[in-house]
Amino acid sequence: MKRTVCAKSIFELWGHGKSPEELYNSLKNYPVEKMVPFLHSDSTYKIKIHTFNKTLTQEEKIKRIDALEFLPFEGKVNLKKPQHIFSILEDYGLDPNCIPENPHNIYFGRWIADGQRELIESYSVKKRHFIGNTSMDAGLSFIMANHGKVKENDIVFDPFVGTGGLLIASAHFGAYVYGTDIDYNTVHGLGKASRKNQKWRGPDENIRANLRQYGLEKYYLDVLVSDASKPSWRKGTYFDAVITDPPYGIRESTRRTGSQKEIPKGIEKCPESHVPVSLSYHLSDMFFDLLNFAAETLVLGGRLVYWLPVYTPEYTEEMVPWHPCLKLISNCEQKLSGRTSRRLITMEKVKGFENRDQYSHLLSDHFLPYQGHNSFREKYFSGVTKRIAKEEKSSQE
């Protein structure tokens, strides 16, 4: 609960019912010996009311608390700093336009801990100093850091760093953070601003300033301009987690460095004076490069967490890229539109990287299916075009 942004609170359930009478009978059947440690005369307590989809008056709340007098409370009430907090939770459904008179379910229990839901607001992108077109939502950033098991003194790397949203979430948990991106302007905080009513980025808009904003600058290692398809790392294991959101070609283009005459394999070195041009970077190539990079640079037991965009009507689990050094831990869906979604893929390094592992994906059944997703951008925009045409047609009718 010290880490999760998904759960609001956790309670020890003492009773449950569809009506107050059912709740009271349930509480009377709860073993007294389990209650006594929290209700003895030396303790202090308070009772809170939580209602979902309905607001109660203070008078109604007091009435519900008074109805619990049959419980063996012997301690003193302390509203400011109680040793124990008890809660009545009333569920009135999910439809705000049709709130029932009586709750669907009523629960009573002892509060144990709160989650970290407030982090979503305190780290909100709306208040962030430096943002881009694809800055990751704060809640999702913390979920990804949790999937990566990011902890104090870890080293976390993001090869498609953008404005550093994922670095911020990892640094919050005490990890040292590092990243690269092919976009010079984004890394250096130059060019046009993404924020509404702001034309150009300011002189201090950069990733370091974002971490400074949250008091996390000491965890910032560096960010470099670099091409993820050509990692500039010596062989070795450096990172405890690789957490990233690669571009899908929608709001940010998928690019890599190269030359117009694709250099034959084995002659990839360019003279120092050569400035490489930017070429398209197929999604399937990008993800297999990412898996190879993670397999080579993660410590054993380290995790790779990334988003995989998919065209829903064609998606099957066989499309998730595979690597012999990485084990799939979880695969969660976030819907983007009626026909597109992205999968949050979490993988763990389970064996050391060998040179022969670099091309093993070519022998995998998973390689060919995902190649079809190189056209994800076209499929995404064809859906958008059809929707706009449909809306225009209905408005004319």
Side-chain angles (χ1 to χ4, degrees):
M1 295 302 284
K2 286 180 179 178
R3 293 182 63 110
T4 182
V5 292
C6 295
K8 185 171 175 59
S9 303
I10 186 168
F11 300 87
E12 180 182 75
L13 186 66
W14 285 15
H16 162 242
K18 302 277 184 188
S19 65
E21 293 70 29
E22 274 188 35
L23 172 67
Y24 304 150
N25 288 331
S26 175
L27 284 170
K28 285 170 185 172
N29 290 326
Y30 191 74
V32 177
E33 62 272 18
K34 288 188 178 181
M35 294 184 181
V36 169
F38 309 103
L39 306 179
H40 58 79
S41 55
D42 295 333
S43 66
T44 58
Y45 71 94
K46 78 170 177 180
I47 299 174
K48 295 175 76 174
I49 311 281
H50 298 280
T51 54
F52 302 91
N53 201 25
K54 189 171 185 176
T55 303
L56 299 180
T57 64
Q58 192 62 26
E59 190 180 337
E60 288 173 319
K61 290 181 180 180
I62 291 169
K63 190 177 176 183
R64 283 161 169 72
I65 292 170
D66 288 344
L68 296 172
E69 62 184 2
F70 64 87
L71 290 173
F73 286 105
E74 293 183 7
K76 292 180 180 177
V77 173
N78 184 331
L79 300 180
K80 288 188 176 178
K81 287 188 178 179
Q83 289 173 304
H84 308 295
I85 299 171
F86 300 93
S87 294
I88 300 170
L89 299 98
E90 297 188 356
D91 170 22
Y92 290 87
L94 300 173
D95 186 356
N97 300 314
C98 183
I99 301 171
E101 183 65 31
N102 298 310
H104 299 315
N105 290 285
I106 313 172
Y107 306 88
F108 180 85
R110 181 174 67 88
W111 172 84
I112 294 173
D114 284 335
Q116 305 300 315
R117 295 285 296 172
E118 76 282 352
L119 292 179
I120 295 174
E121 181 61 28
S122 57
Y123 282 87
S124 170
V125 173
K126 293 176 185 176
K127 303 173 186 175
R128 193 163 298 166
H129 189 65
F130 174 45
I131 61 167
N133 294 335
T134 56
S135 291
M136 180 62 69
D137 169 80
L140 291 176
S141 299
F142 282 106
I143 289 169
M144 291 177 76
N146 280 332
H147 273 239
K149 287 189 169 180
V150 175
K151 61 186 185 301
E152 204 171 343
N153 295 325
D154 276 358
I155 296 179
V156 176
F157 179 69
D158 182 353
F160 303 95
V161 73
T163 56
L166 298 176
L167 301 191
I168 291 168
S170 299
H172 173 83
F173 291 127
Y176 292 93
V177 293
Y178 184 79
T180 59
D181 202 286
I182 197 171
D183 190 330
Y184 181 94
N185 285 344
T186 301
V187 169
H188 289 277
L190 303 173
K192 288 186 177 179
S194 299
R195 205 180 298 277
K196 192 179 178 182
N197 301 326
Q198 183 184 341
K199 193 169 184 183
W200 302 100
R201 287 174 175 147
D204 62 337
E205 285 191 50
N206 52 54
I207 295 170
R208 183 189 286 274
N210 274 351
L211 277 100
R212 189 185 303 127
Q213 177 182 353
Y214 302 110
L216 302 171
E217 189 178 1
K218 65 179 180 179
Y219 297 113
Y220 179 76
L221 295 179
D222 209 347
V223 170
L224 302 179
V225 179
S226 179
D227 179 0
S229 73
K230 298 179 176 66
S232 50
W233 297 88
R234 286 183 294 179
K235 290 191 182 299
T237 53
Y238 307 103
F239 309 120
D240 298 284
V242 174
I243 300 178
T244 193
D245 180 30
Y248 321 142
I250 309 298
R251 285 187 286 177
E252 293 289 349
S253 62
T254 54
R255 311 297 285 172
R256 64 184 178 88
T257 56
S259 70
Q260 295 294 7
K261 302 172 183 176
E262 271 290 64
I263 304 161
K265 283 195 182 279
I267 325 174
E268 292 189 348
K269 288 192 176 179
C270 301
E272 284 185 26
S273 59
H274 174 72
V275 178
V277 296
S278 186
L279 301 175
S280 62
Y281 192 12
H282 290 308
L283 280 177
S284 58
D285 294 337
M286 182 192 302
F287 289 113
F288 289 116
D289 282 347
L290 176 63
L291 264 63
N292 265 327
F293 175 76
E296 198 166 349
T297 58
L298 280 172
V299 299
L300 211 56
R303 288 195 167 188
L304 166 66
V305 184
Y306 69 97
W307 288 102
L308 181 78
V310 296
Y311 183 64
T312 316
E314 296 175 2
Y315 170 76
T316 63
E317 286 194 5
E318 284 69 35
M319 287 182 174
V320 178
W322 169 92
H323 197 283
C325 300
L326 302 170
K327 175 186 173 186
L328 182 66
I329 300 294
S330 69
N331 176 354
C332 315
E333 182 185 33
Q334 182 192 25
K335 288 191 178 296
L336 299 176
S337 68
R339 288 178 165 261
T340 58
S341 64
R342 58 181 181 176
R343 318 287 306 195
L344 181 59
I345 307 296
T346 303
M347 307 183 91
E348 189 170 293
K349 185 170 176 179
V350 290
K351 88 174 192 75
F353 183 85
E354 299 171 40
N355 286 334
R356 66 169 182 244
D357 295 326
Q358 190 168 353
Y359 301 106
S360 55
H361 64 273
L362 296 172
L363 306 173
S364 163
D365 295 337
H366 293 224
F367 181 63
L368 288 173
Y370 196 79
Q371 281 191 306
H373 275 63
N374 286 330
S375 56
F376 174 78
R377 185 177 190 276
E378 288 72 24
K379 290 169 183 172
Y380 175 88
F381 280 116
S382 71
V384 171
T385 307
K386 285 174 186 173
R387 192 182 75 238
I388 292 169
K390 191 177 178 182
E391 287 172 356
E392 285 176 351
K393 188 178 177 182
S394 62
S395 65
Q396 285 169 5
E397 289 171 354

